[in-house]
Amino acid sequence: MINIENWKENYTHISNEVIDNEKVLRVIKSGKINEYDENTYAKLVDSSFHNGIIEVKMLSRLLKEAPDFARGFIGIAYRIHEDDTKFESFYVRPTNSRQCDDR
């Protein structure tokens, strides 16, 4: 399992889970958020990663209490400043996608 002691929660709750026989780090939005666009994340702390490749499998599901306009943004933030005010990131919106069956 992933050592969750190495992670800082920011309006999230993290836990170790097993999904489809894979050990995963589960990150769920939690706590009171004052703005809809507020940053929610789990931050790896005390890491010495500099430049390289980040590989990750992501699974996104909307929470039951999510508002109608929620799009299920999920992403990776990196090069996060010590005070969490700046970072680089990329996001996907898996719940806003379409599947085409035009074969």
Side-chain angles (χ1 to χ4, degrees), residues 83-102:
D83 64 0
D84 297 333
T85 58
K86 297 180 183 177
F87 56 87
E88 294 181 50
S89 64
F90 64 89
Y91 287 86
V92 293
R93 290 170 40 175
T95 58
N96 200 44
S97 62
R98 292 188 208 147
Q99 177 179 349
C100 274
D101 263 345
D102 298 340

Side-chain angles (χ1 to χ4, degrees), residues 69-80:
F69 57 84
R71 295 288 182 247
F73 284 94
I74 185 171
I76 301 291
Y78 51 97
R79 294 187 178 131
I80 303 171

Side-chain angles (χ1 to χ4, degrees), residues 2-103:
I2 297 169
N3 184 356
I4 60 176
E5 302 291 320
N6 295 336
W7 293 84
K8 172 187 165 189
E9 300 169 326
N10 191 67
Y11 296 110
T12 59
H13 173 72
I14 60 174
S15 61
N16 284 306
E17 304 283 333
V18 176
I19 298 176
D20 295 333
N21 295 317
E22 285 192 60
K23 296 175 183 176
V24 301
L25 180 68
R26 185 176 188 192
V27 181
I28 299 177
K29 181 181 82 71
S30 70
K32 172 106 173 88
I33 295 179
N34 298 318
E35 301 173 25
Y36 283 112
D37 232 4
E38 202 156 352
N39 292 326
T40 59
Y41 56 82
K43 179 181 178 180
L44 180 62
V45 293
D46 298 328
S47 173
S48 62
F49 183 82
H50 181 65
N51 286 327
I53 297 171
I54 299 172
E55 288 188 41
V56 63
K57 291 181 184 180
M58 294 187 280
L59 171 65
S60 177
R61 295 184 182 142
L62 290 177
L63 297 174
K64 291 175 184 148
E65 63 272 10
D68 291 341
F69 57 84
R71 295 288 182 247
F73 284 94
I74 185 171
I76 301 291
Y78 51 97
R79 294 187 178 131
I80 303 171
H81 282 219
E82 197 66 35
D83 64 0
D84 297 333
T85 58
K86 297 180 183 177
F87 56 87
E88 294 181 50
S89 64
F90 64 89
Y91 287 86
V92 293
R93 290 170 40 175
T95 58
N96 200 44
S97 62
R98 292 188 208 147
Q99 177 179 349
C100 274
D101 263 345
D102 298 340
R103 296 179 195 184

